[in-house]
Amino acid sequence: MEHDYPQRQPEKFAQFLKRQKMIFVVAFLGYVCAYLVRNNFKLMSKSIMVTNGWDKADIATLLSCLTISYGLAKFYMGALGDKVSLRKLFSICLAASACICMIIGFFHTSMIMLAILLILCGVVQGALAPASQNMIANYYPNKTRGAAIAGWNISQNMGSALLPMMIAGMTTMGWIVPKTENILAAFIVPAVLVLAFAAICWKCGGDKPEAEGLDSLRTMYGEAGESNVASEEEKSSLTYWQLIKKYVFLNPMLLLVAAVNVALYFIRFGVEDWMPIYLHEVAKLSDTQAQMAISVLEWVAIPGSLVFAWLAAKYPNKMAKMGAIGLFIMSGVVLAYEMMTATGAPNYPALLVVCGVLGALIYGPQLIVNILTINFVPLNVAGTAIGFVGVTAYLIGNMGANWVMPLMADGFGWFWSYVVIAALSAFAAVGYLVLAKHEAKTIKA
């Protein structure tokens, strides 16, 4: 019997569980490292702008080079991950990201070189999220896959929080002097650390269990090994492109997941990216107060995500319902955030609490997208599905927030910008409720 596998193959199962833990550690820390060599230019953009005498439009253009190339790369790099070694793809692209980061440090005075390097950075970074999630998906069965993906999702918050702390520490020690050309350390030091970890990923990362002489999830766990969206016969009879067409491009549930993710990315970047300007212009906060509010949002996102990770472990096939509840609450919190800041003199401690709740409700429900994406497709096209859902989110959700938020604010006032965010939160919640029915059918825990 399939569920007797641990008793029938105790040594092999023990070996699998050991590899399972190692795969998670590599995927998690590897993606923390990805952020240590992705956001360096954004964090140092003010110093680079002042040093070179550039304006905000120049910086916006350069940031768009990274955003667009990264968004597009998530799709074709995700598809590549379905066909090649995930371990090698992840390690090579992480090492390439580190090398590009170093080169950026030396060429931060050239607009053309920066544009080229940031495009290249986006291309290689586009492989890292799909590859690391795919590694986890191939080693975790239905019951624990959601919790593992949810736990992995926290890596982006840790990376986002660690890099500015590293740069601030180097600034304090005098390694970086803002508004001068002495900003090389902000690119070199993180890149050296990441390059060293890429070597560890090459040695310890993984592909599918079968590639390492282990048995498949289906063999070890039966129907509880992977989602029941496609039979073994269908997966073997259809070509790779036929599977992509059926389960990615023409899969109604995955298309709805992508639509929900577009809304969630608009919410995430609409709130976070415009928070510094909004809190300065409307709430009349100082730069330090606004930065503290952003920091609180990022840090509280970690325990908030852990709560959703715990829910994923407790209710492995009910995550869509949890996401819906969180997003309905989010609609109200967004409006409360706007109303308490619109007075121009908000209660600052209360504002920090609201920002923390926003962080938890932005990142918590968003990690459910990663879980559903993997669960709604056969595992051998999971990378393509992750990339497809990611590219739509960046090119529509992220770019939409960059343009719609300021246009709404200038034309109708900030209140209506946040009404749009609240409405999108409610839309995403309804989308999750629709997805919940399909999730219950396909995921056997």
Side-chain angles (χ1 to χ4, degrees):
M1 296 292 291
E2 289 166 331
H3 60 273
D4 292 331
Y5 185 88
Q7 288 75 41
R8 290 187 291 106
Q9 300 279 356
E11 292 184 5
K12 210 169 186 180
F13 191 66
Q15 183 184 358
F16 167 77
L17 293 179
K18 184 178 179 180
R19 283 295 293 149
Q20 186 186 64
K21 294 182 178 66
M22 177 57 69
I23 293 300
F24 180 82
V25 170
V26 169
F28 183 90
L29 294 180
Y31 205 60
V32 170
C33 288
Y35 273 77
L36 298 183
V37 288
R38 181 193 300 175
N39 291 340
N40 313 65
F41 174 77
K42 181 169 71 173
L43 291 172
M44 297 305 294
S45 59
K46 185 175 181 180
S47 295
I48 291 173
M49 181 177 69
V50 172
T51 299
N52 296 328
W54 295 344
D55 57 26
K56 292 184 179 67
D58 295 322
I59 298 299
T61 300
L62 291 170
L63 289 173
S64 294
C65 289
L66 178 61
T67 299
I68 294 172
S69 65
Y70 175 72
L72 290 171
K74 285 193 79 170
F75 176 66
Y76 56 77
M77 285 296 200
L80 181 62
D82 288 329
K83 307 298 290 183
V84 303
S85 166
L86 292 170
R87 172 180 64 85
K88 293 179 180 178
L89 179 65
F90 186 83
S91 304
I92 290 171
C93 287
L94 186 62
S97 296
C99 292
I100 292 169
C101 185
M102 291 184 192
I103 298 171
I104 289 174
F106 289 103
F107 290 93
H108 65 268
T109 58
S110 169
M111 184 83 174
I112 294 175
M113 281 298 297
L114 271 178
I116 294 171
L117 290 167
L118 288 171
I119 289 171
L120 291 175
C121 181
V123 170
V124 294
Q125 282 273 333
L128 301 180
S132 54
Q133 289 180 71
N134 212 351
M135 278 194 277
I136 292 174
N138 280 290
Y139 272 86
Y140 282 81
N142 293 343
K143 188 173 183 178
T144 55
R145 186 182 302 117
I149 292 295
W152 168 89
N153 204 77
I154 298 168
S155 61
Q156 63 182 321
N157 300 108
M158 289 192 65
S160 295
L162 281 174
L163 182 60
M165 290 176 65
M166 290 177 64
I167 292 175
M170 289 186 286
T171 303
T172 302
M173 290 185 287
W175 294 6
I176 301 174
V177 183
K179 299 183 181 180
T180 74
E181 293 187 5
N182 190 22
I183 56 177
L184 188 59
F187 295 91
I188 295 295
V189 174
V192 170
L193 295 175
V194 172
L195 196 59
F197 193 80
I200 296 174
C201 293
W202 178 273
K203 182 178 180 180
C204 300
D207 294 296
K208 295 181 179 180
E210 302 94 302
E212 300 184 22
L214 300 168
D215 290 318
S216 67
L217 292 176
R218 182 76 70 179
T219 300
M220 288 185 283
Y221 294 92
E223 283 195 346
E226 58 181 281
S227 58
N228 297 312
V229 294
S231 66
E232 292 300 312
E233 294 77 12
E234 185 179 26
K235 286 192 288 185
S236 60
S237 63
L238 296 179
T239 67
Y240 173 71
W241 293 107
Q242 287 173 327
L243 283 171
I244 288 178
K245 180 180 178 181
K246 181 175 181 179
Y247 289 104
V248 179
F249 298 127
L250 299 180
N251 183 345
M253 292 300 102
L254 191 69
L255 293 176
L256 182 53
V257 170
V260 168
N261 204 31
V262 167
L264 294 178
Y265 264 65
F266 189 106
I267 294 165
R268 172 181 165 184
F269 291 101
V271 171
E272 290 186 21
D273 286 3
W274 293 101
M275 187 175 277
I277 293 175
Y278 174 75
L279 292 180
H280 178 73
E281 289 185 354
V282 179
K284 308 302 181 184
L285 299 185
S286 66
D287 289 344
T288 302
Q289 288 176 315
Q291 290 165 5
M292 178 60 72
I294 296 168
S295 180
V296 167
L297 185 150
E298 288 287 350
W299 280 111
V300 177
I302 296 176
S305 295
L306 284 173
V307 169
F308 279 86
W310 173 78
L311 290 171
K314 191 171 180 63
Y315 307 102
N317 57 358
K318 295 182 174 65
M319 285 310 299
K321 290 182 180 178
M322 305 300 167
I325 293 170
L327 288 170
F328 278 128
I329 297 172
M330 163 77 90
S331 293
V333 175
V334 166
L335 294 176
Y337 166 76
E338 197 285 330
M339 290 176 183
M340 72 184 302
T341 50
T343 60
N347 182 307
Y348 189 61
L351 175 62
L352 292 181
V353 171
V354 171
C355 288
V357 174
L358 280 174
L361 293 178
I362 285 172
Y363 285 95
Q366 190 171 60
L367 65 81
I368 296 170
V369 166
N370 297 325
I371 298 171
L372 296 182
T373 299
I374 291 172
N375 284 341
F376 285 176
V377 299
L379 287 181
N380 55 338
V381 295
T384 304
I386 293 167
F388 172 73
V389 172
V391 69
T392 54
Y394 268 91
L395 296 187
I396 303 176
N398 189 352
M399 296 297 287
N402 289 345
W403 290 99
V404 174
M405 288 294 287
L407 288 174
M408 290 290 294
D410 289 342
F412 305 97
W414 279 105
F415 172 77
W416 292 106
S417 294
Y418 287 101
V419 167
V420 169
I421 290 179
L424 286 173
S425 183
F427 162 78
V430 173
Y432 269 149
L433 290 178
V434 175
L435 292 168
K437 297 180 181 179
H438 187 68
E439 181 186 26
K441 292 179 183 177
T442 57
I443 308 304
K444 304 298 181 185

